[in-house]
């Protein structure tokens, strides 16, 4: 198993923020398990020029959740793996210590990775890999005005820790590769995405009530307040296995950001007018009181 190193370690921004918050809000040091999934993927470089370079497969581990307890308590037996989540490794969050694994970390990681019952099989692969990831979180030695954390990821290979880069996954054009095969684990609520006919007689033929039309118009108006141009029919592109999910989501996200930016500018202008009116009222009160 030492011949199959993990090429890339990923974690979502929300999961990392939650982990750092748990480390900072705890009374003392903490440690716990890291859960997620791993997959063997073949990168597809986008290039206008033909290339003869050999494309190699990469083993990518993605951290999605964690379980933490105080460090003075021993780690309990990890829960069994599921079809989508397995034990990738563990983490240690301590304060004012060097950002390097200790002998105790090495012993705990060796015990965890040498257990055959905890081995898992990455997606698109027949390999059997142990939970060999280790994430170390520390704080600076000197007290600072802004509380900060330092973190570093390792893979335990050949009785030694090998440093690995930690990629924080967020939504955006540079992370489209993360959502190529996206499938939601929680289904979206059912929505009526059927376009209605422009002719009133067609509406009568399908026996649509007047109340239903009013509800549809109300829903469309509420949707237009959030993202202009996304009618209910277009939302069908965001649902289903064959949907062009990334492009539509990014366009919806851009329109919502533009709407928020416009509202922010209106608030800024109204605040300036309120301040101007307050100054004018103050000058009037001073004039009436004879202070000018």
């Amino acid at each position: 198993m030492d011949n199959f190193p993990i090429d890339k370690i990923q974690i979502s921004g929300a999961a990392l923020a939650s982990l750092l918050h748990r480390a900072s809000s705890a009374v003392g040091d903490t440690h716990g398990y890291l859960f997620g999934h791993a997959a063997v993927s073949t990168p597809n470089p986008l290039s206008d020029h033909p290339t003869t370079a050999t494309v190699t497969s990469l083993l990518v581990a993605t951290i999605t959740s964690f379980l933490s307890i105080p460090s003075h308590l021993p780690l309990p037996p990890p829960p069994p793996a599921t079809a989508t989540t397995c034990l990738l490794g563990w983490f240690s969050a301590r304060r004012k210590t060097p950002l390097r694994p200790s002998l105790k970390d090495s012993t705990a990681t060796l015990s965890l990775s040498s257990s055959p019952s905890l081995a898992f099989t990455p997606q698109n692969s027949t390999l059997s890999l142990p939970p060999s990831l280790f994430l170390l979180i520390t704080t600076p030695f000197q007290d600072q005005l802004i509380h900060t954390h330092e973190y570093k990821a390792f893979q335990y290979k050949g009785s030694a820790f090998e440093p690995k880069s930690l990629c924080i996954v967020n939504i955006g054009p540079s992370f489209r590769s993360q959502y190529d095969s996206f499938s939601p684990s929680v289904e979206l609520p059912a929505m009526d995405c059927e376009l209605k006919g422009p002719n009133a007689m067609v509406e009568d033929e399908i026996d649509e009530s007047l109340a239903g039309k009013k509800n549809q118009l109300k829903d469309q108006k509420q949707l237009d307040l959030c993202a202009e141009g996304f009618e209910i029919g277009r939302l069908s592109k965001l649902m289903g296995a064959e949907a062009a999910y990334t492009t539509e989501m990014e366009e919806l996200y851009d329109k919502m950001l533009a709407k928020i930016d416009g509202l922010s500018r209106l608030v800024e202008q109204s605040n300036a007018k309120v301040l101007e009116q307050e100054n004018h009222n103050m000058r009037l009160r001073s004039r009436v009181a004879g202070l000018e």
Side-chain angles (χ1 to χ4, degrees):
M1 290 184 288
D2 292 339
N3 296 327
F4 301 97
I6 296 178
D7 301 287
K8 189 176 183 180
I9 303 176
Q10 300 176 157
I11 185 171
S12 66
L16 180 59
S18 178
L19 185 58
L20 295 179
H21 175 72
R22 183 67 58 85
S24 61
S25 60
V27 178
D29 297 343
T30 61
H31 62 177
Y33 293 121
L34 297 174
F35 301 96
H37 58 270
V40 176
S41 62
T42 302
N44 185 18
L46 301 177
S47 177
D48 296 333
H49 305 284
T51 177
T52 57
T54 303
V55 180
T56 58
S57 299
L58 301 178
L59 179 58
V60 181
T62 304
I63 302 172
T64 58
S65 58
F66 64 92
L67 172 66
S68 66
I69 60 174
S71 292
H72 66 273
L73 299 177
L75 289 172
T82 63
T84 58
T85 304
C86 58
L87 178 65
L88 297 179
W90 71 294
F91 74 92
S92 177
R94 44 186 184 252
R95 298 169 182 176
K96 296 184 178 181
T97 58
L99 193 63
R100 60 175 180 269
S102 62
L103 181 60
K104 181 180 178 181
D105 298 333
S106 179
T107 303
T109 309
L110 177 61
S111 175
L112 193 66
S113 61
S114 60
S115 177
S117 60
L118 300 178
F120 61 94
T121 302
Q123 300 175 7
N124 305 325
S125 174
T126 57
L127 302 175
S128 180
L129 301 179
S132 58
L133 296 188
F134 175 63
L135 181 62
L136 179 59
I137 303 174
T138 64
T139 59
F141 280 98
Q142 298 180 353
D143 295 332
Q144 298 182 359
L145 296 178
I146 301 177
H147 190 76
T148 60
H149 286 82
E150 298 175 350
Y151 54 87
K152 196 170 186 178
F154 302 88
Q155 183 187 10
Y156 194 75
K157 290 176 69 277
S159 301
F161 286 101
E162 182 178 333
K164 296 288 183 178
S165 61
L166 187 63
C167 179
I168 303 176
V169 179
N170 292 301
I171 296 178
S174 59
F175 298 98
R176 287 181 177 176
S177 60
Q178 309 296 331
Y179 305 97
D180 284 345
S181 57
F182 175 79
S183 58
S185 57
V186 179
E187 295 183 358
L188 293 175
M191 294 183 62
D192 185 11
C193 299
E194 185 177 336
L195 293 177
K196 307 304 178 183
N199 194 331
M201 296 182 62
V202 177
E203 303 294 337
D204 293 336
E205 290 178 1
I206 63 176
D207 194 22
E208 184 180 54
S209 65
L210 183 60
K213 296 179 184 179
K214 292 182 178 179
N215 290 334
Q216 182 187 3
L217 294 176
K218 182 180 179 181
D219 293 340
Q220 184 61 55
K221 290 181 179 179
Q222 292 178 350
L223 182 63
D224 289 338
L225 292 177
C226 299
E228 183 180 357
F230 270 77
E231 65 277 359
I232 294 181
R234 191 175 180 184
L235 285 180
S236 60
K237 297 181 180 180
L238 304 181
M239 304 170 62
E242 298 83 10
Y245 188 84
T246 306
T247 304
E248 293 292 327
M249 281 299 296
E250 288 179 357
E251 187 171 352
L252 175 61
Y253 184 68
D254 291 339
K255 288 183 177 294
M256 294 178 66
L257 286 181
K259 182 73 68 175
I260 293 175
D261 182 67
L263 292 175
S264 301
R265 294 181 183 275
L266 290 177
V267 172
E268 183 179 358
Q269 294 174 1
S270 62
N271 288 340
K273 292 182 179 180
V274 170
L275 180 60
E276 182 181 355
Q277 185 64 37
E278 289 181 351
N279 294 334
H280 179 68
N281 294 340
M282 185 179 298
R283 288 194 296 268
L284 291 178
R285 287 194 294 267
S286 299
R287 184 178 304 173
V288 172
L291 298 178
E292 290 187 357

